[in-house]
């Protein structure tokens, strides 16, 4: 199974994490919310998959393109 | 019937040209998931509109005849004249030859008749065999006397990156107003994997080096991406439908199926009351423009700014909009580059710009500084002041700092329209308060409460109605009135655009 990273597109701080380990997510599901430029920007799953790793904590600051979580790809959309 | 034999010979030779580099080479091109240059031209143009020039050029007699590695001529798209040409990869990999070539002829026709130009690139350019044939090495010169550069000032130029495109064709693909490549089956690079290996010792694949993932998404060297070659041709036709024939004409008007006075109910609630919550700016744009149709330019790069071509009551407009979902709408380097190119494109072809503003300013932080967001952002600012097409700004939400000034011009009619959700200022309240009232806040018995108190006091000044009272903003409108009002303004400006057609002079030095 292929592992795919979810990245923060821009620098900011992680305001909320909305998934826990082993959660199944669908394409476009909001995984975390990034606070950047005073806006709550959703970080969404690029593929459907299972969360295998969460690499940031709420309140931690991230730089642009930093990995936030890892997904293990599933064959089809679970939604 | 005196010339019948000769005419029949022309037909025989034409038939040989149609065979391109031969059945085996054509098969190889198809196996790579690619169309031949003739199939590409057929797919792009109105059926039966292609008039080929130079079809009989080539070398060798009879069955040994090998056509020149370039196919081009006149064509029509939606009934409008264009010129089109492209390298034939099935003949020596589309490589260039010395002497007057067909690709130059295509540019000369475009330059003479001032018609849009579509170049379908496939190949790696120079061929070292030419050096052997010539017997000496040449100082590199641009083989077409800079015709490509001249054309950029006069007619719409579209580039398609259709195959593995490197060297000369890669550089020519950049000399375009807009470019597109298919998702799979094409790559663009300065030089391919063997050259990279020799030069820097790195093993890379063609796709790692130059797929659309690299050139459309990461580098922004190519504007748009097509699902396949056919989708690229569809996009080329769409792009050209917004373009005038040349800079001496206005863009074509197209009768919409939409009413100019349509007031879209959903515009009233698209911006959330919660100031920290973003929304879908693309939906907002589609609610305003004709028939909900827009053609996004460079959708995968510099995504903090949306740039698109659309129509309002049939008039072509350039749409710019900050995207609150990316950087919170803050302008970064790639977004600024995109803004510069788009504004110049619109200015060149007399396309008025409608700018939906929701910009907190330039992006801040070490990433932004390192990427030169300040200089690139001020280049966008400079461009805003150098263009002369009408620019209508709608302040949808945030409009802060110099990053937002790239949305308006103080040297022209200052006409600023705000929604009730609009908020603006030279400095944002949050952050600004910390800086200006640091001593007062620190010396207060409860610093946090003090800061909140000051922020709230200034926050009450945020209402755009207060600014409107002081005539600090010209109009605050019901968001549902956006379409009718913008159309009124555009139609008033319509005639004026005709007064100053022609080649644009290039002012000054960009920051």
């Amino acid at each position: 199974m292929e592992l795919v990273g979810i990245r923060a597109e821009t620098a900011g701080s992680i305001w909320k994490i909305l998934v826990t380990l082993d959660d199944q997510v669908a394409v476009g599901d909001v995984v975390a919310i990034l606070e950047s430029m005073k806006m709550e920007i959703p970080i969404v799953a690029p593929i459907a998959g299972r969360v295998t790793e969460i690499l940031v904590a709420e309140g931690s600051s991230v730089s642009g393109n930093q990995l936030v979580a890892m997904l293990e790809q599933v064959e089809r959309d679970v939604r | 019937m005196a010339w019948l034999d000769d005419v029949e010979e022309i037909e025989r030779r034409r038939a040989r040209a149609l065979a391109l580099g031969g059945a085996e080479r054509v098969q190889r091109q198809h196996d790579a998931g690619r169309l031949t240059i003739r199939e590409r031209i057929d797919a792009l143009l109105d059926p039966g509109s292609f008039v080929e020039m130079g079809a009989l050029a080539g070398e060798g007699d009879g069955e040994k005849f090998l056509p020149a590695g370039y196919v081009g001529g006149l064509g029509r798209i939606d009934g409008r004249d264009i010129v089109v040409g492209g390298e034939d990869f099935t003949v020596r990999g589309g490589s260039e030859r010395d002497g007057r070539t067909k690709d130059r002829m295509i540019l000369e026709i475009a330059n003479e008749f001032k018609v849009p130009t579509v170049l379908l690139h496939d190949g790696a350019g120079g061929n070292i065999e030419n050096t052997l044939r010539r017997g000496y090495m040449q100082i590199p010169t641009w083989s077409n006397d800079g015709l490509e550069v001249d054309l950029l000032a006069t007619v719409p130029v579209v580039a398609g990156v259709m195959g593995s495109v490197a060297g000369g064709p890669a550089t020519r693909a950049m000399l375009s107003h807009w470019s597109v490549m298919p998702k799979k089956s094409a790559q663009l690079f300065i030089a391919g994997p063997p050259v990279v290996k020799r030069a820097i010792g790195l093993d890379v694949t063609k796709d790692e080096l130059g797929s659309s993932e690299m050139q459309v998404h990461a580098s922004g060297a190519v504007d748009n991406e097509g699902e396949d070659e056919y989708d690229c041709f569809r996009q080329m036709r769409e792009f050209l439908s917004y373009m005038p024939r040349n800079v001496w004409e206005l863009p074509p008007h197209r009768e919409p199926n939409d009413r100019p006075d349509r007031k879209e109910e959903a515009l009233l609630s698209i911006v959330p009351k919660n100031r920290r919550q973003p929304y879908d700016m693309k939906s907002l744009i589609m609610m305003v423009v004709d028939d909900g149709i827009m053609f996004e330019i460079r959708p995968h790069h510099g995504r903090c700014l949306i740039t698109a071509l659309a129509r309002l009551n049939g008039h072509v407009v350039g749409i710019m909009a900050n995207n609150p979902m990316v950087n919170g709408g803050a302008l970064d380097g790639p977004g600024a580059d995109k803004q510069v190119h788009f504004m110049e494109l619109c200015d060149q072809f007399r396309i008025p710009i409608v700018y939906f503003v929701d910009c907190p300013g330039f992006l801040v932080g070490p990433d932004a500084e390192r990427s030169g967001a300040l200089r690139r952002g001020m280049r966008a600012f400079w461009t805003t002041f150098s263009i002369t097409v009408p620019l209508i700004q709608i302040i949808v939400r945030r409009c802060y700092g110099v990053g937002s000034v790239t949305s308006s011009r103080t040297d022209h009619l200052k006409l600023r329209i705000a929604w009730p959700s609009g908020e603006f200022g030279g400095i944002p309240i949050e952050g600004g308060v910390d800086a200006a009232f640091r001593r007062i806040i620190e010396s207060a018995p409860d610093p946090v409460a003090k800061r909140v108190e000051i922020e709230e006091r200034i926050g009450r000044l945020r209402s755009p109605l207060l600014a409107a009272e002081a005539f600090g903003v010209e109009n605050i409108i019901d968001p549902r009135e956006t379409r009718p009002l913008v159309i009124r303004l555009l139609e008033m400006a319509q005639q004026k655009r005709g007064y100053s057609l022609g080649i644009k002079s290039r002012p000054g030095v960009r920051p």
Side-chain angles (χ1 to χ4, degrees), chain B residues 429 431-448 450-451 454-455 458:
Chain B
I429 294 172
V433 165
D434 282 333
F437 299 95
R438 188 167 54 90
R439 271 221 198 110
I440 295 173
I441 291 170
E442 280 174 1
S443 59
D446 184 349
V448 175
K450 189 71 187 167
R451 194 183 64 192
I454 298 175
E455 281 187 6
I458 303 178

Side-chain angles (χ1 to χ4, degrees), chain B residues 250-251 253 315 352 390 489-498:
Chain B
L250 287 176
H253 179 268
H315 307 291
L489 289 169
L490 281 175
E491 293 188 338
M492 200 191 258
Q494 178 69 5
Q495 199 183 354
K496 186 201 164 201
R497 281 190 299 149

Side-chain angles (χ1 to χ4, degrees), chain A residues 13-19 31-35 40 43 58-59:
Chain A
S13 62
I14 300 294
W15 185 53
K16 271 183 191 167
I17 295 171
L18 302 173
V19 293
V31 172
I33 295 175
L34 178 75
E35 189 186 356
E40 294 159 12
I43 299 174
E58 286 182 359

Side-chain angles (χ1 to χ4, degrees), chain B residues 452-506:
Chain B
V452 170
E453 180 212 310
I454 298 175
E455 281 187 6
E456 277 177 3
R457 185 144 45 96
I458 303 178
R460 282 196 288 277
L461 304 177
R462 190 182 275 135
S463 163
L465 294 170
L466 291 175
E469 229 173 88
F471 202 44
V473 56
E474 282 66 36
N475 246 355
I476 298 190
I477 60 167
D478 177 339
R480 293 169 294 189
E481 295 167 353
T482 305
R483 176 178 162 84
L485 178 63
V486 172
I487 287 173
R488 273 296 289 276
L489 289 169
L490 281 175
E491 293 188 338
M492 200 191 258
Q494 178 69 5
Q495 199 183 354
K496 186 201 164 201
R497 281 190 299 149
Y499 298 160
S500 61
L501 290 168
I503 297 176
K504 286 264 175 181
S505 65
R506 211 174 74 86

Side-chain angles (χ1 to χ4, degrees), chain A residues 9-10 35 37 40-41 64, chain B residues 276 278 303 325 327 367 398:
Chain A
E9 189 162 7
T10 186
E35 189 186 356
M37 300 305 289
E40 294 159 12
I41 301 172
Chain B
R276 290 162 51 85
R303 292 175 50 247
M325 292 285 192
N327 302 348
D367 292 349
R398 303 192 287 179

Side-chain angles (χ1 to χ4, degrees), chain B residues 250-368:
Chain B
L250 287 176
H253 179 268
R254 182 191 281 180
E255 216 45 57
N257 297 314
D258 212 341
R259 294 196 338 267
D261 60 353
R262 175 172 59 81
K263 293 181 178 175
E264 192 65 39
E265 216 38 51
L267 287 173
L268 195 53
S269 41
I270 189 161
V271 176
K273 274 267 178 178
N274 176 354
R275 294 174 56 238
R276 290 162 51 85
Q277 209 179 323
Y279 53 93
D280 186 353
M281 183 61 99
K282 288 181 195 175
S283 308
L284 187 156
I285 297 167
M286 289 196 279
M287 286 178 203
V288 175
V289 299
D290 284 359
D291 306 308
I293 296 169
M294 65 166 180
F295 181 66
E296 209 181 331
I297 303 283
R298 219 180 280 188
H300 304 294
H301 190 75
R303 292 175 50 247
C304 63
L305 187 81
I306 298 162
T307 55
L309 294 165
R311 292 183 181 83
L312 278 166
N313 204 26
H315 307 291
V316 175
V317 289
I319 302 282
M320 297 203 307
N322 309 105
N323 186 353
M325 292 285 192
V326 181
N327 302 348
L331 196 65
D332 59 13
D337 293 352
K338 179 170 163 178
Q339 177 171 350
V340 167
H341 183 85
F342 187 72
M343 281 189 145
E344 288 186 348
L345 174 77
C346 291
D347 194 43
Q348 170 101 315
F349 294 112
R350 274 61 173 190
I351 298 170
I353 298 170
V354 181
Y355 190 170
F356 295 95
V357 183
D358 184 359
C359 181
F362 292 133
L363 186 65
V364 301
D367 292 349

